[in-house]
Amino acid sequence: MTRNVVVTGMGVVSPIGADIKAYWDGLSSGKSGVIRREYTLGENLSLTLPTAPVDGLETRIANLGRELMRADRFSQLAILAADEAIENAGLEIDDETGGRTACIVGTGIGGQTTFDNGYHAMLLEGKRPHPLTILKIIINAPASHMSIRYGARGPAFAISSACATGAHSIGVCADLIRNGSADVGLAGASEAVLSYGSLACWKAMHILAGETCRPFSKNRNGLVIGEGAGVLVLEEEERARKRGANILARVAGFGMNADGKDMINPAVEGAAGALSLAMDGVTVNDPHSVYVNAHGTGTLMNDPTESKAIRSVFGAGADELIVSSTKSMHGHLLGAAGGIESIAAILALREGVVPPTINYDEPDPDCDLNYAPNKAVERKLDLAVSNSFAFGGLNAVVAFAKV
Amino acid sequence: MAEIEPTLLEIIKDHAVGLVGAPTRETQIADLGIDSFSIVEIIYEVEEKLSVEVPFNANENPFGEMKTVGDLIDALTELIGK
């Protein structure tokens, strides 16, 4: 018997809104979460650059409880998103269902703030490392905290595939449910790397935008790093229907592969292959009703590569469908990107509104699709696809269908 | 070096989420409500504030035969006196 997987809850912490309602308000109004900010470490190290932080979470984090107060920020953001997703889903996890509940939650990098502060204290100030350092930095920390907090005792682990982490986590969790390893799961990712050391390393790669993120625009010059988390509640469809859950979308397809070519440069064949796998078995009657939430980093290489990949999979339909990069608003959340962008895709599907690609002011002949420039577009949608293509050539694409 | 008893009582107080009021020598360790995180943090803070190395292995029961906060103070006093 085929087990279908549906989305019954969503939770988000993003630079343009720290819950689902605020996030959608931000997405649909073209809000920018990018600001220029100074990051310091100790008294002598400082770096100022555009980033997309999440401010004003102090009270919510303080209310998470004693154990999470001592966790790294990437775990705290993940739990804030998961709390909202569970509440949104009306999900009750008891002793019996807990054993069938998965937590597949990843991160691209992990406890970077803890690393930064720890190394600074140890190497520059001669202090001893804090004894909880390891528990803070391990990338499975969010998955572990969730399993403890909610009593979820099914499969629980972190996936890490740089910028494809969130999409891999959602797709793999859906597969676990489809294959019978779990009936319900928390799936997504978090990232919190806005610290001096991490940003200095990103800057050293020479791929950060000088001012802001301009995906698919000819004058684009790089990405802006953001922080946040996005978590979905995925559920076997029959179970969801029996408990009267509000079904937000169906996981219609998932494709993953690797370029096998280059650590930095993306490959059209790899991206197209993952997208094609996600679309395998998905019927598209009208390409006009398809929305692709693009990886759209705003780098020189990604955007034309991704555009070509979309065109190669959809053929003539590529001129009918609509694409946007919400990274233009919330920045690049690295591992968490696929989490919050899947949520953007599902919200667009439900609301019939495509969030714009903001900061788009100069067409590029190499990026020749409809990118919903600068203003949200009302459109009846049947399918929303979230693309994630990571450094290291790891690709993951999730497709969500209207229910 | 800081005085052992008030220093340890202050450290424990910050972590004793299960306790109403301040801990004393007579307080039972079991009543402190100390979680796994707090045990390693308490040891770290004791080492930092009292400049002592606590011979603790996380694979063992951290409290051994000790039952009260007074037992902890006595053990620490003995350790520092060595």
Side-chain angles (χ1 to χ4, degrees), chain A residues 53-351:
Chain A
V54 185
D55 293 325
L57 295 177
E58 294 78 7
T59 306
R60 286 175 67 190
I61 288 173
N63 288 337
L64 285 177
R66 195 171 160 80
E67 188 158 292
L68 280 156
M69 281 284 287
R70 294 177 286 183
D72 187 273
R73 186 169 172 85
F74 85 109
S75 291
Q76 295 168 339
L77 301 187
I79 295 294
L80 289 177
D83 276 0
E84 186 188 19
I86 285 178
E87 190 187 342
N88 183 236
L91 190 67
E92 288 177 13
I93 303 171
D94 59 24
D95 198 43
E96 189 186 335
T97 58
R100 301 283 299 160
T101 303
C103 299
I104 313 301
V105 184
T107 183
I109 294 177
Q112 192 65 49
T113 315
T114 302
F115 265 126
D116 253 29
N117 294 337
Y119 280 131
H120 186 266
M122 227 177 1
L123 303 178
L124 288 178
E125 296 176 337
K127 291 183 179 168
R128 295 188 307 153
H130 190 275
L132 297 182
T133 303
I134 296 295
L135 298 176
K136 289 181 178 186
I137 62 173
I138 48 179
I139 63 168
N140 62 293
S144 296
H145 281 295
M146 283 180 202
S147 74
I148 294 164
R149 186 173 179 85
Y150 310 124
R153 294 172 286 103
F157 52 88
I159 286 173
S160 191
S161 52
C163 313
T165 298
H168 269 121
S169 301
I170 291 166
V172 167
C173 187
D175 280 352
L176 287 172
I177 295 170
R178 201 171 279 120
N179 296 334
S181 299
D183 294 328
V184 59
L186 293 162
S190 69
E191 202 76 82
V193 295
L194 299 183
S195 66
Y196 171 84
S198 172
L199 292 171
C201 293
W202 279 100
K203 189 162 183 267
M205 267 192 99
H206 297 277
I207 54 161
L208 297 185
E211 181 204 350
T212 195
C213 178
R214 303 180 184 281
F216 303 110
S217 190
K218 192 165 173 58
N219 60 349
R220 67 186 178 277
N221 68 355
L223 53 91
V224 171
I225 310 270
E227 64 173 351
V231 175
L232 303 182
V233 173
L234 301 180
E235 203 163 346
E236 193 274 321
E237 186 167 2
E238 286 303 308
R239 180 194 191 277
R241 291 198 184 279
K242 267 185 200 157
R243 74 174 183 91
N246 181 25
I247 295 174
L248 304 173
R250 178 181 292 117
V251 180
F254 172 46
M256 56 178 165
N257 67 2
D259 293 345
K261 285 193 171 171
D262 194 286
M263 283 301 283
I264 297 177
N265 295 336
V268 175
E269 307 78 44
L275 181 54
S276 180
L277 286 166
M279 294 300 293
D280 189 26
V282 177
T283 307
V284 176
N285 294 319
D286 177 12
H288 193 262
S289 68
V290 175
Y291 165 50
V292 178
N293 184 297
H295 190 55
T297 53
T299 57
L300 186 68
M301 293 295 292
N302 174 83
D303 297 0
T305 303
E306 183 170 12
S307 301
K308 286 184 181 72
I310 292 169
R311 187 168 285 288
S312 82
V313 172
F314 286 93
D319 291 319
E320 298 292 318
L321 55 76
I322 189 159
V323 180
S324 76
S325 170
T326 49
K327 284 188 180 76
S328 60
M329 294 178 268
H330 52 61
H332 193 345
L333 269 64
L334 309 176
I340 75 160
E341 290 165 20
S342 286
I343 292 171
I346 293 165
L347 288 168
L349 191 66
R350 292 183 60 77
E351 301 290 335

Side-chain angles (χ1 to χ4, degrees), chain A residues 66 70 128-129 131-132 135, chain B residues 15 17 35 38 41 47-48:
Chain A
R66 195 171 160 80
R70 294 177 286 183
R128 295 188 307 153
L132 297 182
L135 298 176
Chain B
H15 291 276
V17 292
D35 61 16
S38 284
E41 284 188 317
E47 290 181 330
E48 290 288 300

